[in-house]
Amino acid sequence: MDRTKKLVAVAGTAAVVAMLSACGGSNSSSGGSTNAGTGSPWILGTTDTVTALDPAGSYDLGSSTLEYNLYQTLVTVPPNSTKIVGDAAKSCTYNDPQTLTCTLNPGEKFSNGDPLTSSDVKYSFERAIQIQDANGAAIYLLGSITDTAKNGKVTLNKGAIETPNDTTVVFHLDHPDTTFQYVLTYPGAAAIVDEDVFPADKKLPDDQVIGSGPYKLDQYKAADQATLSLNPDYTGPNPGKTGQVFVKYYSDPTALALAAKNNEVDVAWRSLAPTDVANLKKDSGVTVATGKGSEIRYWVWNVAGQVGKQLAIRQAAAQVIDRNAIATKAYDGTVDPLYSIVPPGYGGQKDSYKNAYGSPDPAKAKQILQAAGISTPVNLTVGWTPTHYGPSTEDEANELQRQLEASGLFKVTLKSTEWDNYQTVYKQGAYDLFILGWFPDYPDADDYLSPFMVDGGFFQNGYKNAKVDKLVSKEQGSSSTATREKIFGQLQDIAAHDVPFIPSWVGQNTAVYGPGMSGVESTLDPSFIFRFWLVTKAG
Amino acid sequence: MTRAGSGSLPRYIFQRIVLVIPMIWVILTLVFFVLRVAPGDPVSAALGSKLNPQALAQARERLGFNRPLIAQYWDYLSSVAHLDFGTTFSDNQPVLRVVRDNGGATLSLTLAAFVIALAVGIPLGLVAGRYRDSVGDVAIRLFGIVSYAAPIFFVGFLLQLYVAPPLGLPTSGDASPITIFEVKPKTHILLIDVFLSGNGAAIQDVLKHLVLPAVTLGLLICGVFIRLVRVNMLMTMQADYVEAAEARGIRRRNVTWRHAFRNALVPVITVVGLQFALLLGGAVLTETTFNWPGLGQKLVLYINNRDYGAVQGIVTVFAIAVVLISLLVDIINALIDPRVRF
């Protein structure tokens, strides 16, 4: 009994001490240390994941969200624009379609005080290509200055980057390519790193990275939290106002929605489930802001297959599909119908599918099939994947099946498999029609056309059109905006006629923010760059 | 004169340790082969669809996936024997570092849940056993069944929606961002580090974050303790020595708490190891529900990324932890109760 009493006494004392010490301070979440800056610290919550904070090892939105704020690129894209402007460089100008010259701003520095020179720029590209990380963007996006050997090894072309002086960088491209300037805006391929800090042949650990962007990284705990503060040495065009910004990582959209609802995060951005967005819109304690998006979903025909090779079948399905119903029924209106593979907002965008097919019309679809002598119903195997694109994909697949079968022209068999298997079997022709998604690498319509239409697309669906190849080559080699946009229109019209794929919807750029926040709307644009420097919290 | 020999404590401990080796081997083998028979190519799944075939082949070779299965299996066993649990494919982290960085949060949550489960389950079990078939007994039994059977994410969600707002409790994470930023990691277990920091506000913040996840997870197993303690309480209350004590005129209350209570607790220790395994499983769901930055949430993340290297490594560490804790519980049990040594 004595021993029990002693134990109880010790435990009780410990609990009291803990409670007393716990009650000794104020609520830590309400304050905290801040560096320079006028706004209060604020917290961004996201379900995006970070692959790497060293630009040489990342090619995903979760990583680039931090990278856009930590690093500079030579050029960048202002909010709600596709026009390229200077960042670390005053400007980048094409001398000719194969030569791009960039002039750095004088006095640029990294957050450790090291000067940023043309040598750092060259080093950044060289090391990204040298490291050749499978998760890095360099080996995919820098094709105009690299060569790929038969064994897959990518090397920088000899003399591709010249640095005649400390503030000048000249890129010599191996073919006329005006899209290269857009690649330079993407940190995964073109962020500038300090050659005295980043090793040449391997990635720097995430928590040690430094850049020359408006913010610097103070702390990074993978999949948990990143803490950023103002970069005191930043002299670029986008100075931040808030001394300290936290990024909280969530594994589940519902947990993020709850955190937003309870103001545990100040901004919730990417990705909330459609039903959560709908619920939060009814909550007076938060604001749901929406900007134009650039993430798309589309259905790809297996043009090499017995069913998909028949143009009339592809066109008839395009004639039947009701995108509005998909957007409202499967996504609660949180996405917009898409009538071209290029989403609205890009120069040269054209709603070619709307022009070609108008409103959904089963009667017209029937005529198309009858004219081609195709008996109905046409049996279609439609593929989708359950988790990779979110839970609403199943609703979209079911709605597509309902629409096609309601026309009386198609008999649909839905098949699904997880993403790792899906991306293998769709290339093997397992489905006549299958869903995929796309997120742009750079803000130019070319990024929605060349990867989809040249040589069967990256999804290898068997579509080939010599005219398309010629047009793409021409627009990539042209420095005339008018010429390029005219070609973009032609390519979209060809897609609507040949129907190698059927665009479905374009996502909105949605954020939910709490009281006192301002500037969130300013950064919600199709680029999906979350510009911390535009956002502030009062108080 | 010694008994058959099997009752010796050192011998018992030795036998249990020896048994651990085949147990771990079976688990490692299962983990390895189950992941290998899962459909899809783990390399292309983890490294994305953008890799060209040549780069994919290089990655497969680098990760050893082009080798015969039996050679991969042998490499895996050899690595684990050298405490090398591999590297994650998707973010190239040593698994042991992932365990170090996230295991502390899981441990804190699991132990707090254990404390809650014991603090709630044992008294309720005793009361239910003591007042058999009363309204209280029925209510407690019902509570035990419901808490055990209710899906953990559902309980968590209810607490997040209806308990967190009025009490001002956080619904996600193990601490506020500023606490995580300010508390320097010394042990990599935030609950300990925050006490070591002596920062009162941070301690309060961490404890507040711990409440809902620990209650959710604790409820999962408190039903088991309620039932176990209740049944043992009933049995001991009917035991001869209790009747004898009562016959000697010792007050019923003293008999209950001094004799029956202590004996009813012995089997609880026996199931602690088993419940710990259940808790680790429950931690995966709880961590996801409350965005708790532990190993369970990390595991789900890696499963979603199809990072089989990470999944294999973390599950292996989990399995070994459960086996070792079971061993520890067996030894403690043998120390307390000599009968189990036979």
Side-chain angles (χ1 to χ4, degrees), chain A residues 31 33-37 39-45 65-66 69-70 214-220 225-231 240-249 266-267 517 530-537, chain B residues 177-178 181:
Chain A
S33 63
T34 60
N35 297 334
S40 290
W42 55 272
I43 306 162
L44 172 72
T65 295
L66 289 185
N69 293 282
L70 295 173
Y215 283 88
K216 64 186 179 70
L217 188 71
D218 287 336
Q219 182 200 49
Y220 180 71
Q225 174 172 309
T227 308
L228 289 77
S229 65
L230 281 174
N231 172 6
K241 301 182 190 76
T242 304
Q244 197 170 35
V245 178
F246 299 100
V247 182
K248 285 296 289 180
Y249 294 97
D266 295 297
V267 186
M517 299 304 296
F530 202 97
R531 302 164 179 90
F532 293 174
W533 59 88
L534 293 179
V535 179
T536 55
K537 183 180 181 182
Chain B
I178 191 68
F181 176 63

Side-chain angles (χ1 to χ4, degrees), chain B residues 231-239 241-242 259-261 263-264:
Chain B
V231 168
N232 282 287
M233 189 71 178
L234 289 175
M235 285 171 64
T236 49
M237 288 296 285
Q238 291 165 0
Y241 69 89
V242 173
H259 299 282
F261 171 59
N263 285 313

Side-chain angles (χ1 to χ4, degrees), chain A residues 516-536:
Chain A
M517 299 304 296
S518 59
V520 176
E521 279 93 347
S522 310
T523 191
L524 299 181
D525 69 358
S527 72
F528 276 89
I529 301 172
F530 202 97
R531 302 164 179 90
F532 293 174
W533 59 88
L534 293 179
V535 179
T536 55

Side-chain angles (χ1 to χ4, degrees), chain A residues 326-385:
Chain A
I326 289 173
T328 52
K329 291 182 181 177
Y331 295 93
D332 288 331
T334 56
V335 301
D336 294 318
L338 183 63
Y339 295 95
S340 166
I341 204 75
V342 182
Y346 285 78
Q349 194 274 347
K350 195 174 177 184
D351 282 347
S352 297
Y353 280 71
K354 198 171 201 173
N355 299 338
Y357 301 101
S359 299
D361 191 337
K364 279 189 189 169
K366 192 175 182 181
Q367 285 172 8
I368 294 170
L369 291 172
Q370 278 178 344
I374 294 168
S375 57
T376 56
V378 176
N379 287 314
L380 279 185
T381 302
V382 174
W384 62 282
T385 185

